[in-house]
């Protein structure tokens, strides 16, 4: 998978903003950029090319952007950009709307419509995740999606929370993706974006069956992760919470090659594996960590851990303490 990185950190003051202007115009949409204080300007970006989807992690001081009609006529890749602002604030004027947005919100920009905007506080840099994808990639009519241009919507429990968590996790772990897994993750990402857009537009019926399935599965995964410590978590409670039958739930997981119980057990073991290697938790008894993640019986936990990782929980903790724990 192709990964590009840029930073103004080691550049002379006079070169920082011109460098950022040139690189961002090539990496994203061609637009006119300006900053209020070039002498204080710093920025960095990491861009992950997942094929259909381009994911960027960005940090920068205040920027002003203008993409007029003359630039669109000169070059239009016909994409949507979905921004998740992690820090700072901003404003945007597009499609007859003028809005402000803040950390914890999503914002969509349409490359085919003129826009002006700004982003970044006076102090610390603004931080954002940006997903760029073709206008026709979601399986939703682009004019329908276009209704969300310059219309911020918040991250909240449900599909938007799942999408935000997915994007953050992807940004933290994209380097480990193979080309094949990158394409698969791009498909999942587009399905989640489509579901989030449909939710905002109350247009769930317009989703493809695959997008609906992926969105439901992601919601179920998130629901389970939030409740791994509950020893009474069962397929029945999961199905009831999502208003589906237990049979439908089993079918969703069978398509992943796992049973519901196996997926829950694997997720619990992953959390235990992580916590046992955490030096900050070394004083906690092993069974306390196991119980935190839903294992009520020490012998059952030990057998499951050994089957998954080829060693006992104690051996894993000791290896981690010695500085050479396996991944």
């Amino acid at each position: 998978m192709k990964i590009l990185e840029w930073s103004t950190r080691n550049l002379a003051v006079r070169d920082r903003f011109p460098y950022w202007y040139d690189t961002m115009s090539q990496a994203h949409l061609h637009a006119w950029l300006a900053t209020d204080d070039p002498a204080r300007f710093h920025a960095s970006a990491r861009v992950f090319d997942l094929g259909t989807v381009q994911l960027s992690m960005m940090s920068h001081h205040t920027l002003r952007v203008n993409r007029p009609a003359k630039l669109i006529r000169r070059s239009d890749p016909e994409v949507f950009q979905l921004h998740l602002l992690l820090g700072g604030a901003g404003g945007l004027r597009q499609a007859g709307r003028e809005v402000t947005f803040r950390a914890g919100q999503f914002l969509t920009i349409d490359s085919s419509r003129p826009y002006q905007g700004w982003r970044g506080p006076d102090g610390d840099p603004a931080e954002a995740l940006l997903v760029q994808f073709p206008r026709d990639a979601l399986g939703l009519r682009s004019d329908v999606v276009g209704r969300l241009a310059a219309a911020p919507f918040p991250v909240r429990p449900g599909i938007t929370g799942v999408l935000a968590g997915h994007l953050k996790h992807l940004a933290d772990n994209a380097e480990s993706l193979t080309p094949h897994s990158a394409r698969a993750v791009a498909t999942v990402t587009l399905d989640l974006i489509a579901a989030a857009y449909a939710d905002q537009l109350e247009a769930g019926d317009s989703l493809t069956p695959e997008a609906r399935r992926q969105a439901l599965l992601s919601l179920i995964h998130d629901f389970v992760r939030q409740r791994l410590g509950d020893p009474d978590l069962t397929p029945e409670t999961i199905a009831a919470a999502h208003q589906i039958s237990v049979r439908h739930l089993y079918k969703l997981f069978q398509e992943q090659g796992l049973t519901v119980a196996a997926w829950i057990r694997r997720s619990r073991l992953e959390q235990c594996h992580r916590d046992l290697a955490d030096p900050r938790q070394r004083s906690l008894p092993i069974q306390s960590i196991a119980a935190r993640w839903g294992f009520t019986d020490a012998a059952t936990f030990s057998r499951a851990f050994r089957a998954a990782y080829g060693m006992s929980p104690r051996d894993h903790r000791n290896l981690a303490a010695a500085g050479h724990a396996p991944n």
Side-chain angles (χ1 to χ4, degrees), residues 33-185:
L33 302 178
T35 184
D36 295 336
D37 190 353
R40 296 180 60 241
F41 184 80
H42 272 296
S44 64
R46 302 183 75 199
V47 179
F48 305 96
D49 185 356
L50 305 177
T52 310
V53 170
Q54 178 181 282
L55 174 68
S56 303
M57 300 171 58
M58 303 178 65
S59 173
H60 57 76
H61 285 101
T62 301
L63 278 175
R64 300 189 182 279
V65 59
N66 181 20
R67 181 169 161 82
K70 63 190 297 184
L71 284 187
I72 295 173
R73 289 193 297 268
R74 187 184 307 169
S75 173
D76 183 15
E78 298 187 356
V79 297
F80 287 117
Q81 287 186 343
L82 178 64
H83 297 245
L84 172 58
L85 197 61
L86 303 176
L92 181 71
R93 183 186 302 119
Q94 188 177 49
R97 303 185 188 96
E98 185 168 357
V99 298
T100 58
F101 54 96
R102 61 185 185 276
Q105 290 185 315
F106 285 106
L107 181 76
T108 300
I109 295 176
D110 184 346
S111 74
S112 300
R113 299 183 184 183
Y115 64 86
Q116 302 84 38
W118 65 271
R119 186 168 67 195
D122 294 331
D124 296 333
E127 296 183 348
L129 289 173
L130 186 162
V131 189
Q132 184 168 292
F133 52 92
R135 288 169 59 92
D136 60 357
L138 297 181
L140 298 171
R141 283 171 36 196
S142 59
D143 62 315
V144 173
V145 177
R147 287 159 48 191
L148 288 172
F153 57 91
V155 175
R156 58 192 178 197
I159 192 62
T160 55
V162 170
L163 174 59
H166 169 79
L167 294 178
K168 292 174 185 177
H169 181 78
L170 179 56
D172 290 339
N173 297 276
E175 289 181 342
S176 64
L177 294 175
T178 65
H180 175 74
S181 60
R183 289 191 294 271
V185 167

Side-chain angles (χ1 to χ4, degrees), residues 223-297:
F223 177 87
V224 171
R225 290 190 187 100
Q226 298 298 322
R227 292 161 178 80
L228 287 175
D230 180 1
D232 296 322
L233 183 66
T234 65
E236 288 75 19
T237 58
I238 298 169
H242 294 85
Q243 300 180 348
I244 60 175
S245 68
V246 174
R247 182 179 180 181
H248 188 187
L249 179 68
Y250 284 150
K251 184 178 179 181
L252 286 171
F253 277 81
Q254 285 170 0
E255 293 171 359
Q256 297 185 103
L258 286 172
T259 65
V260 180
W263 194 87
I264 294 174
R265 182 171 60 252
R266 186 181 72 179
S267 298
R268 284 172 168 162
L269 287 169
E270 288 172 349
Q271 297 299 325
C272 292
H273 186 268
R274 181 201 64 188
D275 288 356
L276 286 168
D278 185 350
R280 297 167 299 180
Q281 303 187 51
R282 199 161 290 153
S283 63
L284 287 177
I286 291 174
Q287 187 50 34
S288 295
I289 291 175
R292 174 195 297 164
W293 296 111
F295 289 102
T296 57
D297 181 77

